[in-house]
């Protein structure tokens, strides 16, 4: 009985970590939408990923990169992280819509319109490219031996994907929420974004493994 309670608490704690990951990215999105200048907004969006890396919260776009290195049961964990990120992003989006800064939803709506009018192939490729940069940012934060390099990795990776117009599924969960743009089409596009992010996240690690085997 005690073991079951401990397992339940562990899963609850893990899910809350994912919710907080979604909250952090969503707050980064709030800052981005609140800035008139896109470059300034992109720089301060880094707050989201910085918080996740610093406090150890869970983010789908990072955790999905280990699916080929872990047991099959890990896939269930990744899916729970996705759901937790969604819950956190939606929570912040709904909260913002109930406040005096709800006007940023108009900017989000314009952004979402561009995304939802794009082709699925384009969305997929932009999502792949996004998570290549996210891998570089997070991997650099954890493994760069230089203190300054850790934070430059996050800064350059996040600013780069935003200025390029790449697609990050968790950030888009927030944009769709604050814009009130949820629909069947939105869910389809979000699924494609998530798949693209997953492919982008595993690309560099798989290439590394291939290089090591052929060296």
């Amino acid at each position: 009985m005690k073991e079951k309670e401990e397992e339940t608490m562990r899963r609850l704690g893990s899910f809350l970590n994912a919710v907080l990951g979604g909250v952090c990215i969503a707050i980064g999105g709030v800052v981005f939408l609140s800035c008139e200048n896109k470059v300034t907004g992109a720089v301060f969006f880094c707050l989201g990923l910085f918080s996740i890396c610093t406090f150890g919260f869970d983010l789908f776009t990072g955790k999905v990169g280990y699916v080929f290195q872990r047991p099959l049961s890990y896939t269930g964990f990744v899916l729970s992280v996705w759901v937790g990120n969604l819950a956190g992003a939606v929570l912040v989006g709904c909260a913002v819509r109930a406040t005096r800064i709800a006007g940023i939803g108009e900017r989000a709506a314009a952004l979402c319109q561009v995304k939802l009018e794009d082709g699925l192939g384009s969305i997929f490729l932009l999502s792949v490219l996004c998570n290549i940069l996210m891998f570089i940012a997070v991997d650099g934060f954890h493994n760069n031996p230089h203190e300054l390099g850790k934070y430059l990795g996050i800064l350059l990776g996040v600013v780069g994907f935003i200025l390029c117009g790449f697609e990050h599924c968790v950030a888009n969960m927030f944009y769709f929420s604050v814009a009130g743009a949820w629909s069947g089409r939105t869910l389809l596009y979000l699924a494609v974004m998530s798949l693209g992010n997953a492919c982008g996240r595993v690309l560099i690690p798989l290439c590394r493994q291939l290089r090591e085997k052929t060296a």
Side-chain angles (χ1 to χ4, degrees):
M1 186 69 177
K2 184 178 179 180
E3 292 181 356
K4 289 184 178 180
E5 290 179 355
E6 290 177 349
E7 178 65 15
T8 299
M9 292 303 296
R10 186 190 66 79
R11 291 185 178 182
L12 178 60
S14 177
F15 184 73
L16 288 176
N17 266 347
V19 173
L20 290 171
V23 167
C24 288
I25 293 297
I27 291 175
V30 173
V31 178
F32 174 71
L33 294 175
S34 300
C35 293
E36 294 296 329
N37 183 278
K38 187 175 182 180
V39 175
T40 302
V43 169
F44 283 101
F45 186 97
C46 295
L47 170 66
L49 187 59
F50 171 79
S51 301
I52 289 169
C53 290
T54 300
F55 296 107
F57 298 145
D58 291 335
L59 192 64
F60 168 80
T61 50
K63 297 301 181 183
V64 72
Y66 303 103
V67 292
F68 296 119
Q69 304 170 20
R70 304 288 178 85
L72 186 61
S73 59
Y74 181 77
T75 303
F77 166 71
V78 172
L79 292 175
S80 71
V81 170
W82 189 93
V83 174
N85 289 167
L86 176 64
V90 171
L91 180 65
V92 175
C94 292
V96 168
R97 285 171 63 88
T99 69
R100 67 172 183 272
I101 64 170
I104 64 173
E106 296 179 5
R107 296 188 65 185
L111 194 62
C112 293
Q113 183 176 1
V114 172
K115 298 175 185 295
L116 296 174
E117 289 180 351
D118 198 3
L120 288 176
S122 172
I123 289 292
F124 176 78
L125 292 174
L126 291 173
S127 301
V128 171
L129 293 171
C130 173
N131 233 28
I132 290 176
L133 286 181
M134 287 299 92
F135 171 79
I136 293 171
V138 176
D139 190 73
F141 178 85
H142 290 299
N143 298 315
N144 195 312
H146 305 289
E147 199 68 23
L148 179 61
K150 292 178 178 290
Y151 301 107
L152 277 178
I154 290 180
L155 175 67
L156 296 176
V158 172
V159 171
F161 100 73
I162 291 178
L163 295 183
C164 289
F166 296 159
E167 301 292 352
H168 190 282
C169 66
V170 181
N172 287 331
M173 291 172 183
F174 165 69
Y175 296 138
F176 293 142
S177 298
V178 75
W182 286 105
S183 66
R185 183 181 182 86
T186 303
L187 292 174
L188 171 62
Y189 272 64
L190 185 60
V192 173
M193 291 167 185
S194 301
L195 179 61
N197 285 162
C199 291
R201 178 61 179 77
V202 302
L203 188 60
I204 293 180
L206 287 178
C207 288
R208 279 179 174 174
Q209 293 179 15
L210 180 62
R211 182 183 63 187
E212 292 172 358
K213 289 179 180 180
T214 57

Coordinates of all heavy atoms in Angstrom, one line a residue, residues 15-90:
F15 N 3.9 15.0 -13.0 CA 3.0 15.7 -13.8 C 3.0 17.2 -13.5 O 2.9 18.1 -14.4 CB 1.6 15.2 -13.6 CG 0.5 15.8 -14.5 CD1 0.4 15.5 -15.8 CD2 -0.4 16.7 -13.9 CE1 -0.5 16.1 -16.6 CE2 -1.4 17.3 -14.7 CZ -1.5 17.0 -16.1
L16 N 3.1 17.6 -12.2 CA 3.2 19.0 -11.8 C 4.4 19.6 -12.4 O 4.4 20.8 -12.8 CB 3.2 19.1 -10.3 CG 1.9 18.8 -9.6 CD1 2.1 18.8 -8.1 CD2 0.8 19.7 -10.1
N17 N 5.5 18.9 -12.5 CA 6.7 19.4 -13.2 C 6.5 19.8 -14.6 O 7.0 20.8 -15.2 CB 7.9 18.4 -13.1 CG 8.8 18.6 -11.9 OD1 8.7 19.7 -11.3 ND2 9.6 17.6 -11.6
A18 N 5.6 19.0 -15.3 CA 5.3 19.2 -16.7 C 4.4 20.4 -16.8 O 4.5 21.3 -17.7 CB 4.6 18.0 -17.3
V19 N 3.4 20.5 -15.9 CA 2.5 21.7 -15.8 C 3.3 23.0 -15.7 O 3.1 24.0 -16.4 CB 1.5 21.5 -14.7 CG1 0.6 22.8 -14.6 CG2 0.5 20.4 -15.0
L20 N 4.3 22.9 -14.7 CA 5.1 24.1 -14.5 C 6.0 24.4 -15.7 O 6.2 25.6 -16.0 CB 5.9 23.9 -13.2 CG 5.2 23.9 -11.9 CD1 6.1 23.5 -10.8 CD2 4.6 25.3 -11.6
G21 N 6.4 23.4 -16.4 CA 7.1 23.6 -17.7 C 6.3 24.4 -18.7 O 6.8 25.3 -19.3
G22 N 5.0 24.0 -18.8 CA 4.1 24.7 -19.7 C 3.9 26.1 -19.2 O 3.8 27.0 -20.1
V23 N 3.7 26.3 -17.9 CA 3.5 27.6 -17.4 C 4.7 28.6 -17.7 O 4.5 29.7 -18.1 CB 3.3 27.6 -15.8 CG1 3.4 29.0 -15.2 CG2 2.0 26.9 -15.5
C24 N 5.9 28.0 -17.5 CA 7.1 28.9 -17.8 C 7.2 29.3 -19.3 O 7.5 30.5 -19.6 CB 8.4 28.1 -17.4 SG 8.6 27.9 -15.7
I25 N 6.9 28.4 -20.2 CA 7.0 28.7 -21.6 C 5.9 29.7 -21.9 O 6.1 30.7 -22.7 CB 6.8 27.5 -22.5 CG1 8.1 26.6 -22.3 CG2 6.6 27.8 -23.9 CD1 9.4 27.2 -22.8
A26 N 4.7 29.5 -21.3 CA 3.6 30.4 -21.6 C 3.9 31.8 -21.1 O 3.6 32.8 -21.7 CB 2.3 29.9 -20.9
I27 N 4.5 32.0 -19.9 CA 4.9 33.3 -19.4 C 5.9 33.9 -20.3 O 5.9 35.1 -20.6 CB 5.5 33.2 -18.0 CG1 4.3 32.8 -17.0 CG2 6.1 34.5 -17.5 CD1 4.8 32.5 -15.6
G28 N 6.8 33.1 -20.9 CA 7.7 33.6 -21.9 C 6.9 34.2 -23.1 O 7.3 35.2 -23.7
G29 N 5.9 33.5 -23.4 CA 5.0 33.9 -24.5 C 4.3 35.2 -24.2 O 4.1 36.1 -25.1
V30 N 3.9 35.4 -23.0 CA 3.2 36.6 -22.5 C 4.2 37.8 -22.7 O 3.8 38.9 -23.2 CB 2.8 36.6 -21.0 CG1 2.3 37.9 -20.6 CG2 1.7 35.5 -20.9
V31 N 5.5 37.6 -22.3 CA 6.5 38.7 -22.5 C 6.7 39.0 -23.9 O 6.7 40.2 -24.3 CB 7.8 38.2 -21.8 CG1 8.9 39.3 -22.0 CG2 7.6 38.0 -20.4
F32 N 6.8 37.9 -24.8 CA 7.0 38.2 -26.2 C 5.8 39.0 -26.8 O 6.1 39.9 -27.6 CB 7.1 36.8 -26.9 CG 7.1 36.9 -28.4 CD1 8.3 37.4 -29.0 CD2 6.1 36.5 -29.2 CE1 8.4 37.5 -30.4 CE2 6.1 36.6 -30.6 CZ 7.3 37.1 -31.2
L33 N 4.6 38.6 -26.5 CA 3.4 39.3 -27.1 C 3.3 40.7 -26.5 O 2.7 41.6 -27.1 CB 2.2 38.5 -26.8 CG 2.0 37.2 -27.4 CD1 0.7 36.5 -26.9 CD2 2.0 37.3 -29.0
S34 N 3.9 41.0 -25.3 CA 3.8 42.3 -24.7 C 4.8 43.3 -25.2 O 4.7 44.5 -25.0 CB 4.0 42.2 -23.2 OG 3.0 41.3 -22.6
C35 N 5.8 42.8 -26.0 CA 6.9 43.7 -26.5 C 6.6 44.1 -27.9 O 6.2 43.3 -28.8 CB 8.2 42.9 -26.5 SG 8.9 42.5 -24.9
E36 N 6.7 45.4 -28.2 CA 6.4 45.9 -29.5 C 7.5 45.5 -30.5 O 7.3 45.2 -31.7 CB 6.4 47.4 -29.5 CG 5.2 48.0 -28.7 CD 3.8 47.6 -29.4 OE1 3.8 47.5 -30.6 OE2 2.9 47.4 -28.6
N37 N 8.8 45.4 -30.0 CA 9.9 45.0 -30.9 C 10.1 43.5 -30.8 O 10.2 42.9 -29.7 CB 11.1 45.7 -30.4 CG 12.3 45.4 -31.2 OD1 13.0 44.4 -31.1 ND2 12.6 46.3 -32.2
K38 N 10.1 42.8 -32.0 CA 10.2 41.4 -32.0 C 11.5 40.9 -31.4 O 11.5 39.8 -30.8 CB 10.1 40.9 -33.5 CG 10.0 39.4 -33.6 CD 9.7 39.0 -35.1 CE 9.6 37.5 -35.2 NZ 9.3 37.1 -36.6
V39 N 12.6 41.6 -31.7 CA 13.9 41.1 -31.2 C 13.9 41.2 -29.6 O 14.3 40.2 -29.0 CB 15.1 42.0 -31.7 CG1 16.4 41.6 -31.1 CG2 15.1 41.8 -33.2
T40 N 13.4 42.3 -29.1 CA 13.3 42.4 -27.6 C 12.4 41.3 -27.1 O 12.8 40.7 -26.0 CB 12.7 43.8 -27.3 OG1 13.6 44.8 -27.8 CG2 12.7 43.9 -25.8
G41 N 11.3 41.0 -27.7 CA 10.4 40.0 -27.2 C 11.1 38.6 -27.3 O 10.9 37.8 -26.4
A42 N 11.8 38.4 -28.3 CA 12.5 37.1 -28.5 C 13.6 36.9 -27.4 O 13.7 35.8 -26.8 CB 13.2 37.0 -29.8
V43 N 14.3 38.0 -27.0 CA 15.3 37.9 -26.0 C 14.6 37.6 -24.6 O 15.1 36.7 -23.9 CB 16.1 39.2 -25.9 CG1 16.9 39.2 -24.6 CG2 16.9 39.4 -27.1
F44 N 13.5 38.2 -24.3 CA 12.9 38.0 -23.0 C 12.1 36.7 -23.0 O 11.7 36.2 -21.9 CB 12.1 39.2 -22.6 CG 12.9 40.4 -22.1 CD1 13.2 41.4 -22.9 CD2 13.4 40.4 -20.8 CE1 14.0 42.5 -22.5 CE2 14.2 41.4 -20.4 CZ 14.5 42.5 -21.2
F45 N 11.7 36.2 -24.1 CA 11.1 34.9 -24.2 C 12.0 33.8 -23.5 O 11.5 32.8 -23.0 CB 10.7 34.5 -25.6 CG 9.9 33.2 -25.7 CD1 8.6 33.3 -25.9 CD2 10.5 32.0 -25.7 CE1 7.8 32.1 -26.0 CE2 9.8 30.8 -25.8 CZ 8.4 30.9 -25.9
C46 N 13.3 34.1 -23.6 CA 14.3 33.1 -23.0 C 14.0 32.8 -21.5 O 14.4 31.8 -21.0 CB 15.7 33.7 -23.1 SG 16.3 33.9 -24.8
L47 N 13.2 33.7 -20.9 CA 12.9 33.5 -19.5 C 12.2 32.1 -19.3 O 12.5 31.5 -18.3 CB 11.9 34.6 -19.0 CG 11.2 34.4 -17.7 CD1 12.2 34.5 -16.6 CD2 10.1 35.5 -17.5
G48 N 11.4 31.7 -20.2 CA 10.7 30.4 -20.1 C 11.7 29.3 -20.1 O 11.7 28.5 -19.1
L49 N 12.6 29.1 -21.1 CA 13.5 28.0 -21.1 C 14.5 28.1 -20.0 O 14.9 27.1 -19.4 CB 14.2 28.0 -22.5 CG 15.1 26.7 -22.7 CD1 14.3 25.5 -22.6 CD2 15.8 26.8 -24.0
F50 N 15.0 29.3 -19.7 CA 15.9 29.5 -18.5 C 15.3 29.0 -17.2 O 16.0 28.3 -16.5 CB 16.3 31.0 -18.4 CG 17.0 31.3 -17.1 CD1 18.4 31.1 -17.1 CD2 16.4 31.8 -16.0 CE1 19.1 31.3 -15.9 CE2 17.1 32.1 -14.9 CZ 18.5 31.9 -14.8
S51 N 14.1 29.3 -17.0 CA 13.4 28.8 -15.8 C 13.3 27.3 -15.7 O 13.6 26.7 -14.7 CB 12.0 29.4 -15.6 OG 12.1 30.8 -15.6
I52 N 13.0 26.7 -16.9 CA 12.8 25.2 -16.9 C 14.2 24.6 -16.7 O 14.3 23.6 -15.9 CB 12.3 24.8 -18.3 CG1 10.8 25.2 -18.4 CG2 12.4 23.3 -18.5 CD1 10.2 25.1 -19.7
C53 N 15.2 25.1 -17.3 CA 16.6 24.5 -17.1 C 17.1 24.7 -15.7 O 17.7 23.8 -15.1 CB 17.5 25.1 -18.1 SG 17.2 24.6 -19.9
T54 N 16.8 25.8 -15.1 CA 17.3 26.1 -13.8 C 16.6 25.3 -12.7 O 17.2 24.8 -11.8 CB 17.1 27.6 -13.5 OG1 17.8 28.4 -14.5 CG2 17.6 28.0 -12.1
F55 N 15.3 25.2 -12.8 CA 14.5 24.5 -11.8 C 14.2 23.0 -12.1 O 13.6 22.3 -11.2 CB 13.2 25.3 -11.5 CG 13.4 26.7 -11.0 CD1 13.2 27.8 -11.8 CD2 13.9 26.8 -9.7 CE1 13.4 29.0 -11.3 CE2 14.1 28.1 -9.2 CZ 13.8 29.2 -10.0
G56 N 14.6 22.6 -13.2 CA 14.4 21.2 -13.5 C 13.0 20.8 -13.9 O 12.6 19.6 -13.6
F57 N 12.2 21.7 -14.4 CA 10.8 21.3 -14.8 C 10.9 20.5 -16.1 O 11.9 20.5 -16.8 CB 10.0 22.6 -15.1 CG 9.8 23.4 -13.8 CD1 9.8 24.8 -13.9 CD2 9.7 22.8 -12.6 CE1 9.6 25.6 -12.8 CE2 9.5 23.6 -11.4 CZ 9.5 25.0 -11.5
D58 N 9.8 19.9 -16.5 CA 9.8 19.0 -17.6 C 9.1 19.7 -18.8 O 8.1 20.3 -18.7 CB 9.0 17.7 -17.3 CG 9.7 16.8 -16.3 OD1 11.0 16.9 -16.2 OD2 9.0 16.0 -15.6
L59 N 9.7 19.5 -20.0 CA 9.2 20.1 -21.2 C 9.2 19.0 -22.3 O 10.3 18.3 -22.5 CB 10.1 21.3 -21.7 CG 9.6 22.2 -22.8 CD1 8.3 22.9 -22.4 CD2 10.6 23.2 -23.2
F60 N 8.1 18.8 -23.0 CA 8.0 17.8 -24.0 C 9.1 17.9 -25.0 O 9.7 16.8 -25.4 CB 6.6 17.9 -24.7 CG 6.5 17.1 -26.0 CD1 6.3 15.8 -25.9 CD2 6.7 17.7 -27.2 CE1 6.2 15.0 -27.0 CE2 6.6 16.9 -28.4 CZ 6.3 15.6 -28.3
T61 N 9.4 19.1 -25.5 CA 10.4 19.2 -26.6 C 11.8 18.8 -26.2 O 12.7 18.6 -27.0 CB 10.4 20.7 -27.1 OG1 10.5 21.6 -26.0 CG2 9.2 21.0 -27.9
G62 N 12.0 18.7 -24.9 CA 13.3 18.2 -24.4 C 13.2 16.7 -24.1 O 14.1 15.9 -24.5
K63 N 12.2 16.3 -23.3 CA 12.1 14.9 -22.9 C 11.9 13.9 -24.1 O 12.3 12.7 -24.0 CB 10.9 14.7 -21.9 CG 11.1 15.5 -20.6 CD 12.4 15.1 -19.9 CE 12.5 15.9 -18.6 NZ 13.8 15.6 -17.9
V64 N 11.3 14.3 -25.1 CA 11.0 13.4 -26.3 C 12.3 13.0 -26.9 O 12.3 12.0 -27.6 CB 10.1 14.1 -27.3 CG1 10.9 15.2 -28.1 CG2 9.5 13.1 -28.3
G65 N 13.4 13.7 -26.7 CA 14.7 13.3 -27.3 C 15.3 12.0 -26.8 O 16.2 11.5 -27.4
Y66 N 14.8 11.5 -25.7 CA 15.3 10.3 -25.1 C 14.5 9.0 -25.4 O 14.8 7.9 -24.8 CB 15.5 10.4 -23.6 CG 16.3 11.6 -23.2 CD1 15.7 12.8 -22.8 CD2 17.7 11.6 -23.3 CE1 16.5 13.9 -22.4 CE2 18.4 12.7 -23.0 CZ 17.8 13.9 -22.5 OH 18.6 15.0 -22.2
V67 N 13.5 9.1 -26.3 CA 12.7 7.9 -26.5 C 13.4 6.7 -27.1 O 12.9 5.6 -26.9 CB 11.5 8.3 -27.5 CG1 10.5 9.3 -26.8 CG2 12.0 8.9 -28.8
F68 N 14.5 6.9 -27.8 CA 15.2 5.8 -28.4 C 16.3 5.2 -27.4 O 16.9 4.2 -27.7 CB 15.9 6.2 -29.7 CG 14.9 6.5 -30.8 CD1 14.9 7.8 -31.4 CD2 14.0 5.6 -31.2 CE1 14.0 8.1 -32.4 CE2 13.0 5.9 -32.2 CZ 13.0 7.2 -32.8
Q69 N 16.4 5.9 -26.3 CA 17.5 5.5 -25.3 C 16.8 4.9 -24.1 O 17.6 4.4 -23.2 CB 18.3 6.7 -24.9 CG 19.0 7.4 -26.1 CD 19.6 8.7 -25.7 OE1 19.9 9.0 -24.6 NE2 19.8 9.6 -26.7
R70 N 15.5 5.0 -24.0 CA 14.9 4.5 -22.7 C 13.9 3.4 -23.1 O 13.6 3.1 -24.2 CB 14.1 5.6 -22.1 CG 14.9 6.9 -21.8 CD 15.8 6.7 -20.6 NE 16.7 7.8 -20.4 CZ 16.3 8.9 -19.6 NH1 15.1 8.9 -19.1 NH2 17.2 9.9 -19.4
P71 N 13.4 2.6 -22.1 CA 12.4 1.6 -22.3 C 11.1 2.1 -22.9 O 10.9 3.3 -22.9 CB 12.1 1.0 -20.9 CG 13.3 1.5 -20.0 CD 13.8 2.8 -20.6
L72 N 10.3 1.2 -23.4 CA 9.1 1.6 -24.1 C 8.2 2.4 -23.2 O 7.4 3.2 -23.6 CB 8.4 0.3 -24.6 CG 7.1 0.6 -25.5 CD1 7.5 1.4 -26.7 CD2 6.5 -0.8 -25.9
S73 N 8.2 2.0 -21.9 CA 7.3 2.7 -20.9 C 7.6 4.2 -20.9 O 6.8 5.0 -20.4 CB 7.5 2.1 -19.5 OG 8.9 2.2 -19.1
Y74 N 8.8 4.6 -21.3 CA 9.2 6.0 -21.3 C 8.3 6.8 -22.2 O 8.1 8.0 -21.9 CB 10.7 6.2 -21.7 CG 11.2 7.6 -21.7 CD1 11.5 8.2 -20.5 CD2 11.3 8.3 -22.8 CE1 12.0 9.5 -20.4 CE2 11.8 9.7 -22.8 CZ 12.1 10.2 -21.6 OH 12.6 11.5 -21.6
T75 N 7.8 6.2 -23.2 CA 6.9 6.9 -24.2 C 5.7 7.4 -23.4 O 5.2 8.5 -23.7 CB 6.5 6.0 -25.3 OG1 7.6 5.5 -26.0 CG2 5.6 6.7 -26.3
G76 N 5.1 6.6 -22.5 CA 4.0 7.1 -21.7 C 4.3 8.3 -20.9 O 3.5 9.2 -20.7
F77 N 5.5 8.3 -20.3 CA 6.0 9.5 -19.6 C 6.0 10.7 -20.5 O 5.6 11.8 -20.1 CB 7.4 9.2 -19.0 CG 8.0 10.4 -18.4 CD1 7.6 11.1 -17.3 CD2 9.1 11.0 -19.1 CE1 8.2 12.2 -16.8 CE2 9.8 12.1 -18.6 CZ 9.3 12.8 -17.5
V78 N 6.6 10.6 -21.7 CA 6.7 11.7 -22.6 C 5.3 12.2 -23.0 O 5.1 13.5 -23.0 CB 7.4 11.3 -23.9 CG1 7.3 12.4 -24.9 CG2 8.9 11.0 -23.6
L79 N 4.3 11.3 -23.2 CA 3.0 11.8 -23.5 C 2.4 12.5 -22.3 O 1.6 13.5 -22.4 CB 2.1 10.6 -23.8 CG 2.5 9.9 -25.2 CD1 1.6 8.6 -25.4 CD2 2.3 10.8 -26.3
S80 N 2.7 12.1 -21.1 CA 2.1 12.7 -19.9 C 2.8 14.1 -19.7 O 2.1 15.1 -19.3 CB 2.4 11.9 -18.6 OG 3.8 11.9 -18.3
V81 N 4.0 14.3 -20.1 CA 4.7 15.6 -20.1 C 4.0 16.5 -21.1 O 3.7 17.7 -20.8 CB 6.2 15.5 -20.5 CG1 6.8 16.9 -20.7 CG2 6.9 14.7 -19.3
W82 N 3.6 16.0 -22.3 CA 2.9 16.8 -23.3 C 1.6 17.3 -22.8 O 1.3 18.5 -22.9 CB 2.7 15.9 -24.6 CG 2.2 16.7 -25.8 CD1 2.9 17.2 -26.8 CD2 0.8 16.9 -26.1 NE1 2.1 17.8 -27.7 CE2 0.8 17.6 -27.3 CE3 -0.4 16.6 -25.5 CZ2 -0.4 18.0 -27.9 CZ3 -1.6 17.0 -26.1 CH2 -1.6 17.7 -27.3
V83 N 0.9 16.4 -22.1 CA -0.4 16.8 -21.5 C -0.2 17.8 -20.4 O -1.0 18.8 -20.3 CB -1.2 15.5 -21.0 CG1 -2.4 16.0 -20.2 CG2 -1.5 14.6 -22.1
G84 N 0.8 17.6 -19.6 CA 1.1 18.6 -18.5 C 1.5 19.9 -19.1 O 1.0 21.0 -18.6
N85 N 2.3 19.9 -20.1 CA 2.7 21.2 -20.7 C 1.4 21.9 -21.3 O 1.3 23.1 -21.2 CB 3.6 21.0 -21.9 CG 5.0 20.6 -21.4 OD1 5.9 20.1 -22.2 ND2 5.3 20.7 -20.1
L86 N 0.5 21.1 -21.9 CA -0.7 21.7 -22.5 C -1.5 22.3 -21.3 O -2.0 23.4 -21.5 CB -1.5 20.6 -23.2 CG -2.9 21.0 -23.7 CD1 -2.7 22.1 -24.8 CD2 -3.6 19.8 -24.3
A87 N -1.7 21.6 -20.2 CA -2.5 22.1 -19.1 C -1.9 23.4 -18.6 O -2.6 24.4 -18.3 CB -2.5 21.1 -18.0
G88 N -0.6 23.5 -18.4 CA 0.1 24.7 -18.0 C -0.1 25.9 -18.9 O -0.4 27.0 -18.5
A89 N 0.1 25.6 -20.2 CA 0.0 26.7 -21.2 C -1.4 27.2 -21.3 O -1.7 28.4 -21.4 CB 0.5 26.1 -22.6
V90 N -2.4 26.3 -21.3 CA -3.8 26.7 -21.4 C -4.2 27.5 -20.1 O -4.9 28.5 -20.2 CB -4.7 25.4 -21.5 CG1 -6.2 25.8 -21.3 CG2 -4.5 24.8 -22.9

